């Protein structure tokens, strides 16, 4: 059975810098109209990021068959090499020669406050990719990406009769209520955290029941309080798996979505699918960065059995 999962979303480099002071001590409340400050950042690390890459990394770890459809810039050669080393297909990644790969610059202070700057770069050209060029597919996800690309890929999937998960994430505010309703009507699944879902209901004027009734499944995550899956008039409450440590939440939502997609591609029931997704989030949060946790598919299956008492 074809299990190839198309992952439409961003590819990015995350530049993480640590300021060994407090922003509150450097920013004067009565002078914010003419800010001119410089922060000394003794530590700098680069992480591989972007929603599509994070999801693919986790899905590949599970033994799935991820196919990333994204855009990368002139500086993306090392990222493509990384995918090849991991055994993740790159044939649907388009290189934009006149742009840089999307990059997020994060400066954190001693109180864990952050000042971020995001350069979309090549991500702005994601609409140049076509779902029809990707061959036979089992399911797709439309994760945060360029606005035009997300709109186009939803239409592409609907035209191809390809079931897809709509995961608006931080890009949700870019869309009008009418556009979000169109996404929901075309999608088979919607996944959002509790804050995003409240915004989705506010923007569309639809209730939870309204949205769930239009989908095969609606998934709402609630952090340490677990998650909920609404499907076929039923609600499944998925517990949060206790992690070995809470180190970094970056990429946890993407790891969770990889678990959902693996379950869908393998025709798992929704309770098992949600539990696997929860486990993937817990495995990720115990490690720094979005792609630094390493587990074999067998290790994940063993941990799942230990946690829930049966093998998926």
């Amino acid at each position: 059975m074809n299990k190839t999962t198309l992952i439409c979303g961003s590819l990015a480099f995350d530049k993480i810098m640590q300021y060994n002071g407090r922003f509150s001590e450097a920013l004067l409340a009565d002078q914010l109209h003419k800010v001119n400050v410089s922060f000394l950042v003794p530590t700098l690390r680069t992480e591989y990021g972007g929603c599509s890459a994070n999801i693919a990394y986790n899905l590949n770890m599970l033994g799935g068959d991820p196919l990333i459809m994204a855009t990368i810039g002139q500086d993306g050669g090392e990222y493509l090499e990384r995918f090849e080393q991991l055994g993740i297909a790159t044939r649907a990644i388009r290189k934009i020669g006149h742009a840089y790969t999307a990059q997020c610059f994060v400066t954190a202070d001693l109180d864990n406050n952050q000042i971020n700057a995001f350069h979309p770069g090549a991500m702005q050209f994601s609409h140049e990719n076509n779902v029809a060029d990707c061959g036979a597919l089992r399911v797709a996800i439309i994760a945060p990406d360029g606005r035009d690309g997300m709109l186009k890929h939803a239409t592409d999937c609907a035209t191809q009769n390809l079931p897809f998960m709509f995961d608006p994430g931080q890009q949700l505010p870019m869309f009008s209520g009418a556009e979000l309703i169109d996404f929901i009507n075309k999608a088979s699944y919607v996944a959002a955290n509790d804050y995003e879902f409240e915004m989705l209901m506010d923007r569309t004027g639809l209730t939870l029941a309204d949205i769930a009734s239009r989908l095969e499944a609606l998934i709402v995550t609630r952090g340490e309080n677990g998650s909920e899956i609404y499907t076929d008039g039923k609600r499944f409450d998925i517990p949060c798996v206790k992690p070995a440590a809470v180190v970094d939440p970056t990429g946890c939502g993407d790891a969770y979505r990889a678990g959902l997609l693996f379950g869908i591609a393998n025709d798992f029931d929704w309770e098992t699918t949600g539990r696997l997704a929860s486990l993937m989030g817990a495995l990720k949060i115990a490690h720094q960065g979005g792609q630094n946790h390493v587990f074999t598919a067998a290790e994940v299956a063993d941990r799942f059995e230990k946690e829930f008492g049966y093998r998926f």
Side-chain angles (χ1 to χ4, degrees):
M1 184 180 74
N2 175 31
K3 298 181 181 180
T4 302
T5 300
L6 183 67
I7 305 172
C8 309
S10 62
L11 290 175
F13 293 118
D14 296 330
K15 309 286 187 178
I16 315 296
M17 294 162 280
Q18 181 65 50
Y19 169 54
N20 292 332
R22 292 177 170 81
F23 295 143
S24 60
E25 297 170 353
L27 299 171
L28 303 176
D30 62 344
Q31 298 295 313
L32 294 180
H33 62 288
K34 54 178 181 179
V35 173
N36 185 1
V37 295
S38 178
F39 300 107
L40 177 66
V41 289
T43 61
L44 165 67
R45 74 177 194 273
T46 299
E47 296 282 2
Y48 294 102
C51 295
S52 69
N54 291 344
I55 295 170
Y57 179 85
N58 286 278
L59 187 55
N60 185 63
M61 187 185 302
L62 279 168
D65 183 22
L67 177 62
I68 296 172
M69 189 172 77
T71 44
I72 203 163
Q74 58 185 278
D75 55 342
E78 66 179 88
Y79 217 154
L80 295 176
E81 291 174 6
R82 172 176 170 78
F83 290 139
E84 290 169 4
Q85 292 168 359
L86 291 169
I88 296 174
T90 60
R91 66 180 185 274
I93 298 175
R94 181 185 296 269
K95 182 178 180 180
I96 307 298
H98 56 82
Y100 290 103
T101 302
Q103 299 185 45
C104 186
F105 300 87
V106 181
T107 303
D109 73 357
L110 291 177
D111 293 327
N112 288 321
N113 295 308
Q114 293 185 353
I115 295 176
N116 298 343
F118 182 73
H119 172 64
M123 192 179 81
Q124 299 172 100
F125 301 92
S126 61
H127 58 277
E128 296 184 8
N129 284 325
N130 301 300
V131 173
D133 297 337
C134 296
L137 302 164
R138 169 65 178 84
V139 66
I141 182 171
I142 297 177
D145 203 353
R147 170 187 155 82
D148 292 345
M150 293 178 73
L151 289 165
K152 179 179 184 299
H153 300 151
T155 298
D156 286 354
C157 287
T159 301
Q160 297 291 315
N161 292 316
L162 175 66
F164 73 90
M165 180 178 295
F166 177 48
D167 171 26
Q170 67 269 27
Q171 300 293 64
L172 194 153
M174 294 193 309
F175 302 106
S176 68
E179 288 169 331
L180 290 168
I181 289 173
D182 190 53
F183 274 118
I184 293 167
N185 289 341
K186 289 174 178 173
S188 297
Y189 323 97
V190 166
N193 65 32
D194 45 5
Y195 179 82
E196 293 160 355
F197 189 67
E198 289 295 328
M199 184 182 295
L200 184 63
M201 289 191 292
D202 182 67
R203 283 281 177 101
T204 62
L206 300 176
T207 66
L208 187 152
D210 292 333
I211 295 172
S213 70
R214 303 181 185 208
L215 301 164
E216 186 173 328
L218 166 65
I219 303 98
V220 181
T221 63
R222 301 189 182 278
E224 62 184 16
N225 295 317
S227 53
E228 301 150 10
I229 299 178
Y230 300 86
T231 178
D232 195 27
K234 297 185 286 288
R235 166 178 164 166
F236 294 98
D237 291 308
I238 307 299
C240 180
V241 174
K242 185 177 180 180
V246 178
V247 175
D248 180 10
T250 304
C252 286
D254 296 327
Y256 182 99
R257 282 148 181 76
L260 293 177
L261 293 166
F262 187 83
I264 292 168
N266 287 277
D267 296 320
F268 291 174
D269 63 78
W270 279 107
E271 196 163 21
T272 298
T273 296
R275 288 172 171 178
L276 176 59
S278 182
L279 173 60
M280 292 302 293
L283 294 176
K284 196 273 109 193
I285 204 171
H287 297 79
Q288 191 80 48
Q291 299 176 34
N292 295 322
H293 52 300
V294 180
F295 298 93
T296 65
E299 287 171 338
V300 176
D302 289 344
R303 175 66 189 277
F304 183 95
E305 183 176 23
K306 182 179 179 180
E307 191 73 32
F308 298 109
Y310 67 99
R311 294 186 79 82
F312 59 77

